[in-house]
Amino acid sequence: MTATGKSQPSQSQPSQSQPSQSQPCQSQPRKPLTRDDLAPLARAATGPHRTLAGVARLRGGSKKGVYRLTFDDDTTAVAYVWSADEDYWDAGPSDPRDPFSHGTGLDLLTAAHDRLTAVGVRTPRLLYADASHAHLPADAAVVEDVTGGSLEEALERDPVAGRAALERLAGQLDVLHAHEGPAFGKVALVDNGGVSSADSCEQRVTDGALRSIAEAARRDARIAAAKEDLEGAVRELSAAVRPRTRYTLIHGELGPDHVLLDAEGNPALIDIEGLLYFDVEWEHVFLRLRFGPHYDILGAPDMDEDRLRLYRLSMHLGLVSGPLRLLDGDFPDPQFMRAVAEHNLRRALELVGRPG
């Protein structure tokens, strides 16, 4: 979910999350919050001397509501709202010990914001956090509105300026990935002394890939026909990965739409709730997938090729099963989500030598 909005949802839906228990689809159309709904939150965040003049729900994403707040002095801020009405996954409660559990919520945002700020990586400043439901019947936060547009837009609009911003992002990733944690898992868990439920990073990815195959096979005949080949490939790639106990701080789903630019062209990371300590290879598989021809600026040496191979197949599988699950519900842009699933389905089948 972007702080300034993006024209389409990205291909960065949770790719290894635990499949949700079946939840009833929304029986009534989801209604965006209004100025009257958000006025108490805006007043609490900015004080009584500014009046909320307008509210716009920003497009994109699927887990939380993102609203631009415009005040009577023409300043702006962005509100995040976590509620069942704003979550198109209808996932219900998730296990915080699972590194890839449904990565959304106020506690995850504040923990990630504090960790990124501490290590010196730019993210929209947190202006106000409300978990008391004093101003909305849901968890909510207000953050700085970073108004320079997304890196995705910059790369399309002005390749020279976009490349300069991309090089700055590469520097920020160097800072991010220089930090390690004592264990793997979500920052909100590990920074508070918690331990993940999985045995290792590679085992969690393997288990998630096998679940993704099972989920997708129930929804697509081509995955069902290739199920044994896909499961065999996942297990073979997993068996080749050697144990490791170095856990890097990573964003987890960093595409060019999850990077905003400030007035000086500096990158700010958004959709940070999934911030975690994990294998850096997971980050780079996603970066390569989302940045495509621009990835060369972000690449890093000395990565584990066995992990890269396992994680690449697993990520494609997750980007089939996740979008197909969203299509079971009322996601507002089914055509785009179907295209995401189709693209990644073909890539997954190619990786095991099956026609798409």
Side-chain angles (χ1 to χ4, degrees):
M1 203 74 74
T2 70
T4 63
K6 52 182 182 285
S7 60
Q8 295 285 356
S10 77
Q11 294 187 23
S12 59
Q13 305 303 326
S15 54
Q16 292 290 323
S17 59
Q18 175 75 34
S20 63
Q21 299 298 316
S22 295
Q23 300 289 324
C25 292
Q26 293 278 329
S27 58
Q28 299 294 328
R30 301 175 194 249
K31 295 181 179 179
L33 297 173
T34 66
R35 183 174 66 85
D36 288 344
D37 294 327
L38 290 167
L41 176 70
R43 189 178 306 112
T46 62
H49 303 297
R50 296 161 68 191
T51 300
L52 184 61
V55 165
R57 192 183 193 282
L58 303 181
R59 296 182 62 191
S62 60
K63 295 180 180 179
K64 65 179 179 286
V66 181
Y67 295 83
R68 174 170 287 114
L69 310 176
T70 301
F71 296 92
D72 56 355
D73 59 358
D74 292 330
T75 60
T76 59
V78 169
Y80 295 152
V81 180
W82 293 271
S83 71
D85 279 345
E86 302 285 2
D87 187 348
Y88 285 94
W89 292 90
D90 296 324
S94 61
D95 181 1
R97 299 176 303 152
D98 180 356
F100 295 139
S101 63
H102 198 55
T104 190
L106 179 61
D107 58 337
L108 297 180
L109 176 79
T110 55
H113 174 274
D114 291 349
R115 175 51 53 202
L116 290 174
T117 301
V119 303
V121 173
R122 177 90 159 88
T123 191
R125 289 180 293 114
L126 182 62
L127 305 177
Y128 183 77
D130 179 19
S132 66
H133 297 180
H135 305 104
L136 277 176
D139 286 354
V142 178
V143 302
E144 167 195 11
D145 189 7
V146 180
T147 58
S150 71
L151 178 55
E152 183 173 54
E153 294 164 344
L155 288 168
E156 294 173 354
R157 180 180 64 248
D158 186 344
V160 174
R163 186 174 181 88
L166 196 61
E167 290 172 348
R168 293 182 181 184
L169 175 63
Q172 288 284 278
L173 287 178
D174 288 343
V175 173
L176 183 71
H177 296 160
H179 289 267
E180 298 179 1
F184 70 93
K186 291 185 185 299
V187 162
L189 176 77
V190 175
D191 282 1
N192 286 295
V195 178
S196 293
S197 55
D199 293 332
S200 66
C201 297
E202 61 271 21
Q203 189 59 52
R204 176 59 186 87
V205 171
T206 300
D207 292 344
L210 295 173
R211 284 194 292 267
S212 292
I213 294 169
E215 286 278 305
R218 291 197 287 270
R219 295 171 171 87
D220 190 281
R222 291 165 295 175
I223 294 292
K227 187 171 184 288
E228 290 187 6
D229 288 349
L230 289 166
E231 290 174 340
V234 168
R235 292 190 173 100
E236 181 179 349
L237 292 172
S238 180
V241 175
R242 297 179 299 278
R244 189 170 72 189
T245 56
R246 184 175 73 254
Y247 309 117
T248 301
L249 184 62
I250 67 171
H251 180 282
E253 292 186 348
L254 189 59
D257 54 334
H258 287 171
V259 181
L260 300 182
L261 303 179
D262 65 17
E264 288 74 41
N266 296 310
L269 308 190
I270 59 168
D271 262 19
I272 61 173
E273 293 98 309
L275 192 75
L276 73 163
Y277 301 101
F278 207 73
D279 285 334
V280 73
E281 288 85 359
W282 182 258
E283 185 97 288
H284 278 277
V285 167
F286 197 88
L287 289 170
R288 183 181 290 278
L289 174 67
R290 290 292 289 118
F291 280 89
H294 303 293
Y295 172 74
D296 63 306
I297 299 176
L298 306 176
D302 303 325
M303 286 188 287
D304 184 336
E305 291 296 329
D306 291 327
R307 289 176 194 272
L308 288 171
R309 282 188 283 268
L310 171 64
Y311 292 178
R312 186 175 299 115
L313 176 57
S314 299
M315 193 167 290
H316 284 304
L317 289 168
L319 288 169
V320 177
S321 64
L324 290 180
R325 282 166 47 211
L326 270 181
L327 290 172
D328 289 343
D330 61 339
F331 189 76
D333 193 351
Q335 182 176 358
F336 176 79
M337 200 53 61
R338 194 170 288 111
V340 172
E342 184 66 21
H343 170 79
N344 286 283
L345 187 152
R346 292 178 181 274
R347 290 303 312 277
L349 293 179
E350 288 171 5
L351 288 174
V352 298
R354 298 284 297 237

